[in-house]
Amino acid sequence: MPHRRAPSRLTAAAPAAAAAALLALTTACTAGTVQGRPGASGLRDPYFPKAGNGGYQVEHYDLDLDYDPAGGELNATAVITARAQQGLSSFNLDLAGLEVEDVTVQGEGARYNRTGRELTVRPAKDLKKGEVFRTEIDYRGKPKPIEDADGSEEGWIATADGAVGVGEPIGSMAWFPGNHHPSDKATYDITLTVPKGYEALSNGELTSRTDTADGQTAFVWHNPEPTASYLATAAIGKFKVTTGRTPSGVGLYEAVAPAEAAASAPALAKLPEIVEWGSRRFGPYPFGTAGAIVLPAESLTYALETQTKPVFSGAPDENLVLHETAHQWFGDSVSPKSWKDMWLNEGFATYAEWLWSEDHGGTTAQQYFDAFLTGDTAVDKAAGSDWAAFPPAAPPSAKDISETPVYVRGAMVLQRIRQEVGDEKFFALLRGWATDHKHGNASTADFTAYAERSTGHDLKKVWDVWLYGEGRPK
């Protein structure tokens, strides 16, 4: 069970007293003797300006989550290790719903305040620029879904036999406090304590599984590679679990809802081959483990490339397993600097589908390109979609970042580069991009500069027409 403390004085105060205390804190922050200043409450992302927080970078999350599937109650502690990028008198964490019971910074009680989805923390002592600091938050409640701009739900989702945490783009704040923007990647240790008989999955490697005296089982997961918080997951259910290794030694961990096991088997049987194929095409697989989590059908309306273990709602087909596994290179290892850069995730993963087909004797990438250009739905049913509604590098709004142009026209950008530079330079570009930006973040501007530098070609017309151009390219 997570350690619990008594609620802080500020939380227990009457609303008026709490407001007065917060005002005093704000006034103190501006006094001449104070070296720190408040961290920003958002990173001004083009589509989610309040996502993430300024003034620090998280290095590690240690989450201890005790969850009761029957009652939907989460009882948790988050220990966040971060480095101050400026002198900080206060800083913010993103957290939606849930009751905060206590906060400490560097082992001392800290005052805090909740406003909407912002948790503002005032340490007992100002933090110095460059200081590595440890924040511990005890919290509890019934986590709830967050509705996206496109109407889909993310965050903490109850399933037929448990729950799952999925976070693209901002849903992770529904189940743990943090700096929830893809530009701040961190490592994770996640302990999930659930009633005996349930399985509990998270990112990375299972380091221990312990039955406790009170009828619970604690699963400890270690995820040592940098991870954007939207790619963190926690999945709880009556899964059938299998483990193994790819021929090159990558660990495999698959958890499947029993009702989906038979239908999932053919596609999941391809996973070792997909990981090995991707390693040849895109460079070595960037993580220590791979796998899949298959939820009961209709738990979600989408699949998500949660790091090392993509989440599927119902049995996936081979293309979907390929797409989400390709994201381990493009999106997970090389993550976007902002949500405007989503085509670097989805365009690349869609192009991976085309390459997989081409390499296995099916439709070639050029044939897919031509089919979308001409609207040939006999090659691909989606060829009749409005794939050119907007340029992939400039979706009109937050609700458009997962729409067809980001996927299909993004993939077509890559095929246009291939047409311009030839196969040798193009495939060297794909491998170099994934290798040189491994475990980091990148923007569209980073990619266009890298592509021209690595191929030695002037690709301005490709960018002007296909990547940024309005209207349907010809």
Side-chain angles (χ1 to χ4, degrees):
M1 293 285 288
H3 179 59
R4 291 282 165 263
R5 298 185 184 86
S8 75
R9 190 174 302 167
L10 180 60
T11 314
L22 182 61
L23 179 62
L25 291 179
T26 305
T27 304
C29 291
T30 61
T33 58
V34 175
Q35 299 300 309
R37 64 186 193 275
S41 62
L43 293 178
R44 298 184 179 179
D45 183 274
Y47 301 126
F48 303 95
K50 297 296 287 183
N53 302 282
Y56 66 93
Q57 286 275 314
V58 177
E59 295 184 349
H60 185 72
Y61 291 93
D62 192 339
L63 307 179
D64 193 345
L65 311 174
D66 189 320
Y67 185 68
D68 173 23
E73 185 81 16
L74 178 67
N75 193 12
T77 297
V79 179
I80 303 171
T81 302
R83 183 181 297 272
Q85 296 181 304
Q86 65 182 55
L88 285 170
S89 59
S90 67
F91 60 91
N92 282 34
L93 296 164
D94 302 312
L95 182 65
L98 302 172
E99 178 186 352
V100 175
E101 297 184 321
D102 191 42
V103 179
T104 66
V105 179
Q106 300 294 59
E108 297 187 58
R111 295 181 179 180
Y112 59 93
N113 183 67
R114 299 291 297 278
T115 303
R117 294 172 175 177
E118 298 289 337
L119 169 63
T120 303
V121 177
R122 173 66 162 95
K125 299 175 183 176
D126 281 10
L127 300 167
K128 298 177 182 178
K129 182 178 180 180
E131 181 177 353
V132 176
F133 63 99
R134 186 175 184 268
T135 303
E136 184 167 338
I137 305 105
D138 290 340
Y139 62 103
R140 66 182 306 150
K142 293 184 178 182
K144 294 180 172 61
I146 290 174
E147 184 172 331
D148 289 337
D150 64 2
S152 61
E153 288 191 337
E154 53 166 330
W156 191 264
I157 311 291
T159 65
D161 63 355
V164 64
V166 284
E168 186 178 271
I170 59 171
S172 293
M173 67 172 71
W175 56 284
F176 68 97
N179 197 15
H180 292 304
H181 188 268
S183 61
D184 190 358
K185 301 174 78 168
T187 57
Y188 285 74
D189 284 291
I190 298 181
T191 299
L192 294 164
T193 302
V194 295
K196 192 172 181 180
Y198 283 85
E199 298 287 336
L201 286 296
S202 190
N203 314 87
E205 180 181 0
L206 181 65
T207 60
S208 69
R209 172 181 179 149
T210 307
D211 290 334
T212 63
D214 59 352
Q216 304 275 91
T217 305
F219 297 80
V220 180
W221 291 90
H222 177 57
N223 183 28
E225 294 96 1
T227 305
S229 66
Y230 81 92
L231 298 169
T233 192
I236 296 150
K238 300 293 184 69
F239 298 109
K240 177 183 178 182
V241 174
T242 58
T243 61
R245 290 197 176 274
T246 69
S248 64
V250 176
L252 295 174
Y253 201 104
E254 297 170 2
V256 182
E260 305 300 324
S264 298
L268 294 183
K270 290 284 188 179
L271 183 57
E273 182 185 351
I274 289 170
V275 171
E276 300 297 303
W277 172 83
S279 298
R280 293 191 300 274
R281 275 299 191 196
F282 313 133
Y285 182 75
F287 306 113
T289 62
I293 299 170
V294 181
L295 305 173
E298 300 181 3
S299 298
L300 304 171
T301 58
Y302 52 85
L304 185 63
E305 62 271 20
T306 44
Q307 195 155 303
T308 71
K309 294 178 189 65
V311 170
F312 303 98
S313 184
D317 62 18
E318 183 178 307
N319 268 354
L320 191 54
V321 172
L322 184 283
H323 182 98
E324 304 305 336
T325 304
H327 273 309
Q328 304 307 303
W329 286 268
F330 305 111
D332 293 21
S333 177
V334 187
S335 300
K337 281 186 178 177
S338 83
W339 288 109
K340 195 171 185 178
D341 302 309
M342 268 287 278
W343 83 277
L344 293 172
N345 294 18
E346 301 301 351
F348 278 65
T350 301
Y351 194 78
E353 292 182 58
W354 295 1
L355 277 184
W356 171 264
S357 172
E358 178 177 315
D359 285 354
H360 290 80
T363 305
T364 67
Q366 184 61 47
Q367 288 169 335
Y368 277 115
F369 180 92
D370 292 339
F372 279 94
L373 202 58
T374 62
D376 186 354
T377 55
V379 174
D380 191 310
K381 291 179 181 178
S385 65
D386 193 5
W387 58 265
F390 56 83
S397 68
K399 68 181 179 63
D400 298 304
I401 63 172
S402 293
E403 291 299 320
T404 302
V406 174
Y407 290 68
V408 173
R409 187 165 164 179
M412 295 174 83
V413 169
L414 296 176
Q415 183 61 17
R416 280 293 294 117
I417 298 170
R418 184 178 178 183
Q419 291 168 358
E420 292 288 328
V421 306
D423 280 11
E424 182 177 353
K425 289 183 178 180
F426 176 74
F427 289 113
L429 165 64
L430 286 188
R431 289 177 61 89
W433 175 251
T435 300
D436 292 349
H437 296 80
K438 182 178 180 180
H439 297 158
N441 292 85
S443 67
T444 298
D446 292 329
F447 175 74
T448 57
Y450 185 91
E452 295 198 349
R453 186 171 64 250
S454 65
T455 65
H457 282 248
D458 180 354
L459 298 168
K460 184 176 184 300
K461 287 186 178 179
V462 176
W463 314 142
D464 288 349
V465 174
W466 286 88
L467 192 54
Y468 290 105
E470 298 290 344
R472 187 181 180 93
K474 297 179 181 179

